[in-house]
Amino acid sequence: MTTSNKAEWPLWEVFIRSKAGLDHKHAGSLHAADAEMAIENARDVYTRRMEGVSIWVVESKYIHASDPGESESLYDPANDKVYRHPTFYNLPDELKHM
Amino acid sequence: MSQTTDLIKYTLQIADNALVLGHRLSEWCGHGPILEQDIAITNIALDHLGQARSLYQYAAELFNNLPLVEKNDLFASAVLQQKINAEEPLDEDDLAYLRDGWDFRNVQLVEQPNKDWAYTVARSFFYDSFNFHFYTALQNSADKTLAAIAEKSLKEVAYHLRWSSEWVVRLGDGTAESHERMQTAINDYWMYTGELVTMSEADTAALNTGNGVAATALKQKWDEQVNAVLQEATLARPEDGWMQQGGKDGRHTEHLGYILAELQFMQRAYPNMEW
Amino acid sequence: MTVHSFEQHFEDKIDNEISIEPRDWMPDDYRKTLIRQISQHAHSEIVGMLPEGNWITRAPSLRRKAVLLAKVQDEGGHGLYLYSAAETLGISRDEMLEQLHSGKAKYSSIFNYPSLTWADMGAIGWLVDGAAIMNQVPLCRTSYGPYARAMVRVCKEESFHQRQGFEIMLTLSKGTEVQKKLAQDALNRWWWPSIMMFGPSDDNSPNTEKSMRWRIKRFTNDELRQKFIDVTVEQTKILGLEVPDKDLKWNEERGHYDFGKINWDEFWNVVKGNGPCNKQRLETRKKAWEDGAWVRDAAMAHAEKRKNKKAAKAA
């Protein structure tokens, strides 16, 4: 009986562009020995139903996340800046495709 | 023998390779070394199975349009003979489930057992290295259906080749244990590689009508592919030596019989039913 | 913030149906319960590959073979999504597998029953996946974000599973006499284990109340079981098959089917390891994992070598 004494394959985060013109979106994670394998595994695991046209992978340990405890200082100011949101602008109904 | 029967035999040769290899790979489902690769190898099995189905459907269509005399000559199995005499049309399942081993035309390589990950990878790598160049050439077949199937399959096969080549390199240039296992697998299955690039009667007939591919002409490309990967994997290429032959003409290793016993069990125990 | 206010903040989120995310503060007990539930669920998916995997090489037609293969593969995918969700809680997949292999972690006991005929592929898809979906759909709104997102993906893919199962049963029940017999036999063997899949009845399920409060669970075992029976009995009529429960009767007053007594003795025995296939399933999983050790090690060693080569080149 041989039991692995080595480390587990690293964890990767997978981001998928579901169709041309859209942003990559976090799809999930998986294990792979290296980046190439991570991309191939992502293809096999997360695009079995033609869900993607482009794949990004990044080793999970390189993801830096914001501290949820600070979420008020990070996100609340944006609540004031309604001009960032398209619905802020009153435009005539006749105007299309904007 | 008419041109159509030759074409049927040729189509079955390709289809049987796909079915038998797909069957072997599907045996890994649920037993892979890690979940991600369990899923990957099953995807490849599904690709092969899909290719087999397209090819069987085409072979069945060709078969059903044959005159009765020619139909009677093609397959030895008693169940198929009965169907043919009752003038029932055949479908993909009849071809997969009702022929006996001597009517199967796959190369002996693909029926070899999985054993371990190294043997499985070696078998796929040898086959994919051939299959990639084979389908590339088959895109130019005078037969429009075969050309179309080749074109569609090629994208899948390119990925198979990438997958198996990478694993040969990983195992060859991994740990001392994996290196040894990979080398052993390469050595053991080497004698089944010659048949891939040897012309069978069906190969020659298909080549003469412009439907098929010159298997012998693929030898050089196969060598280049295999040598490059083995080198990167720090593995030794075995001497070419004596090669096993016969699968394409229906002479198989003992393994095929067991594959068929399992594959065909339901159709044999409960014949003539819809599933 | 004090621990007390952390807890208050957490409780507020739960009350307001706001997702808890990996880096949010959460009570230890919440984390532990989630790890146990999600990993159990993941284990069920990968052990669940085995009874159906049995029939991949024996499927009766090429189409059925392809569908079954894709289905079992999906289950592997579901296991993977769920392990990933659990990993966000600070446990590694290797640790979870270790718990499975040592017998410490449980998985759904239904997979300790054998798949004996082709009709079992129909019954498993229809009943077992059907029961699983009842459990899983509410979990798409569970309080823990990664779990909920994994479940959305699982449920989306799972719907084809139940359909293919029912289609197999339908084909059999419309087939020859012997095919009908196969279908009925499979229903007879899988009905009660499927009913038991929802777990012990509510008065014997001590964790239910807390789990409901945390939205890790959204309906009680008995509620889901009743719903499953009500739906499934109607489907059985379409198949023209008979539910193996002589006490099954529509109760006008309750608006539900009454059903017979569940053999809890059998249930607990299978949970404890005395089911027909407990040993076999676990050994199969362990063998796959142990046989794969040198493969996983080789891939890591090779990745390491390549990294070093690249670094040497860059230097």
Side-chain angles (χ1 to χ4, degrees), chain C residues 7-250:
Chain C
E7 199 153 0
Q8 192 52 51
H9 195 57
F10 171 83
E11 296 291 341
D12 287 349
K13 277 189 174 171
I14 293 281
D15 290 342
N16 293 312
E17 303 248 332
I18 295 170
S19 287
I20 308 298
E21 293 296 339
R23 305 230 325 167
D24 291 342
W25 185 91
M26 58 186 91
D28 269 355
D29 207 16
Y30 176 82
R31 186 186 297 273
K32 270 191 212 139
T33 309
L34 267 176
I35 289 178
R36 197 185 57 226
Q37 183 174 329
I38 302 174
S39 66
Q40 225 174 68
H41 192 163
H43 297 327
S44 301
E45 295 283 354
I46 60 162
V47 177
M49 294 171 82
L50 301 176
E52 288 174 286
N54 256 340
W55 282 87
I56 289 171
T57 53
R58 290 178 291 171
S61 75
L62 295 177
R63 175 172 171 265
R64 291 287 180 212
K65 191 182 178 71
V67 172
L68 184 62
L69 192 50
K71 193 207 158 192
V72 179
Q73 183 199 37
D74 270 352
E75 280 155 15
H78 297 171
L80 194 153
Y81 306 154
L82 289 158
Y83 283 127
S84 300
E87 280 172 286
T88 63
L89 291 160
I91 184 170
S92 73
R93 195 197 290 175
D94 276 8
E95 285 173 81
M96 289 185 266
L97 289 176
E98 175 55 39
Q99 291 173 356
L100 171 69
H101 298 155
S102 69
K104 193 181 154 219
K106 298 276 177 252
Y107 55 87
S108 181
S109 8
I110 190 96
F111 301 117
N112 291 318
Y113 289 86
S115 63
L116 301 177
T117 74
W118 169 252
D120 290 11
M121 298 305 99
I124 292 175
W126 170 42
L127 299 173
V128 178
D129 290 319
I133 291 171
M134 291 256 160
N135 259 321
Q136 288 168 359
V137 168
L139 290 176
C140 295
R141 295 180 296 117
T142 188
S143 61
Y144 188 57
Y147 189 23
R149 289 191 287 276
M151 289 316 301
V152 168
R153 203 170 254 280
V154 168
C155 288
K156 232 175 13 190
E157 299 184 355
E158 196 82 39
S159 67
F160 117 72
H161 295 181
Q162 199 191 7
R163 281 158 181 266
Q164 68 91 34
F166 192 78
E167 194 197 57
I168 290 174
M169 292 303 275
L170 195 61
T171 310
L172 292 175
S173 64
K174 288 198 303 199
T176 60
E177 273 312 306
V178 68
Q179 283 176 304
K180 265 177 239 169
K181 225 169 159 175
L182 279 169
Q184 183 64 56
D185 166 71
L187 174 57
N188 292 349
R189 281 181 293 109
W190 290 95
W191 175 261
W192 288 106
S194 303
I195 302 292
M196 295 180 203
M197 263 180 85
F198 295 93
S201 59
D202 295 347
D203 36 353
N204 271 320
S205 179
N207 297 325
T208 292
E209 201 191 321
K210 195 173 61 191
S211 293
M212 298 267 291
R213 156 108 196 88
W214 282 338
R215 290 190 288 116
I216 295 173
K217 207 168 172 170
R218 311 223 52 165
F219 295 97
T220 71
N221 295 352
D222 286 334
E223 280 168 355
L224 288 169
R225 185 175 4 254
Q226 183 69 59
K227 195 172 162 207
F228 174 76
I229 290 173
D230 291 347
V231 169
T232 312
V233 169
E234 295 307 316
Q235 294 168 350
T236 312
K237 289 179 188 163
I238 300 175
L239 296 173
L241 297 175
E242 220 174 294
V243 176
D245 177 359
K246 57 179 176 18
D247 297 320
L248 189 82
K249 215 175 88 203
W250 179 253

